[in-house]
Amino acid sequence: MTKLRTDIINLLREDARISAADIAKMLGATEKEVAAEIAALEDGGIIRKYTVVVDDELAGKDDVEALIEVKVSPMYKHGFDSIAEDIYQFDEVKTVYLMSGAYDLCVIVEGRTLKEVARFISEKLSVMDKVLSTATHFILKKYKVNGVFMHKQDALRRQAVHA
């Protein structure tokens, strides 16, 4: 990957709304070059989606999120990919990661209520053929999401780190 592409990706990760013109100024490239690189990144599937980080508490969103550790029995010739694909097809599932450690997958789910999330786990996830066990952790409060502080006072109290 070229330095220009890497720099564009880094800038878009910080602010997906930054314009190609502003990126070009920051990187010493032309707007046309930057726009072409962004289009190529999108067409190549490297940039998958542009999104926003929302403070759900301030937005009045009361949905329930849970992080579920899942131990599975991997499938012959498919490893973990097949079971992960089966899991991420559910609408309740927002994120799935393959992990090292005691559990194989980390699954983040969302529902309107605690009961709805619990029902998903007990009726859909835990009963899957290759799922051996689960450990559920309900998310109570978010302090930092994708590098963004969720509470202004947290950002103000942050102290400098000296190397």
Side-chain angles (χ1 to χ4, degrees):
M1 183 171 300
T2 66
K3 180 170 177 12
L4 179 61
R5 280 191 176 193
T6 302
D7 291 344
I8 289 170
I9 289 170
N10 290 336
L11 289 170
L12 288 171
R13 279 186 172 146
E14 286 298 314
D15 180 4
R17 292 181 51 170
I18 191 169
S19 69
D22 288 341
I23 293 172
K25 288 177 195 169
M26 295 168 83
L27 300 180
T30 68
E31 183 177 350
K32 187 175 180 179
E33 287 174 313
V34 169
E37 289 294 333
I38 292 171
L41 290 164
E42 292 168 347
D43 293 344
I46 295 169
I47 293 178
R48 308 293 293 205
K49 179 180 180 178
Y50 295 93
T51 189
V52 62
V53 175
V54 175
D55 187 323
D56 292 336
E57 192 174 316
L58 291 177
K61 185 177 176 193
D62 290 329
D63 288 1
V64 175
E65 282 184 287
L67 183 150
I68 307 162
E69 296 171 307
V70 183
K71 188 177 290 191
V72 300
S73 177
M75 296 179 66
Y76 179 69
K77 294 189 180 182
H78 296 283
F80 296 99
D81 295 346
S82 181
I83 187 70
E85 185 176 331
D86 290 343
I87 292 170
Y88 70 61
Q89 298 299 323
F90 291 111
D91 291 336
E92 296 90 343
V93 174
K94 300 303 171 200
T95 304
V96 178
Y97 298 117
L98 177 62
M99 306 186 314
S100 63
Y103 289 86
D104 303 306
L105 300 173
C106 171
V107 180
I108 299 175
V109 300
E110 185 177 271
R112 290 188 329 269
T113 65
L114 185 86
K115 191 173 194 171
E116 185 177 286
V117 172
R119 185 174 290 129
F120 165 77
I121 296 163
S122 65
E123 295 177 6
K124 294 181 181 177
L125 182 62
S126 294
V127 297
M128 294 177 74
D129 287 339
K130 298 295 178 181
V131 171
L132 302 175
S133 65
T134 64
T136 302
H137 311 276
F138 286 95
I139 297 171
L140 304 176
K141 183 176 182 177
K142 296 177 184 179
Y143 294 99
K144 190 174 183 181
V145 176
N146 290 337
V148 178
F149 295 108
M150 290 291 101
H151 304 283
K152 287 185 180 184
Q153 66 273 14
D154 292 341
L156 295 175
R157 284 189 297 202
R158 185 176 187 201
Q159 297 180 4
V161 177
H162 300 286

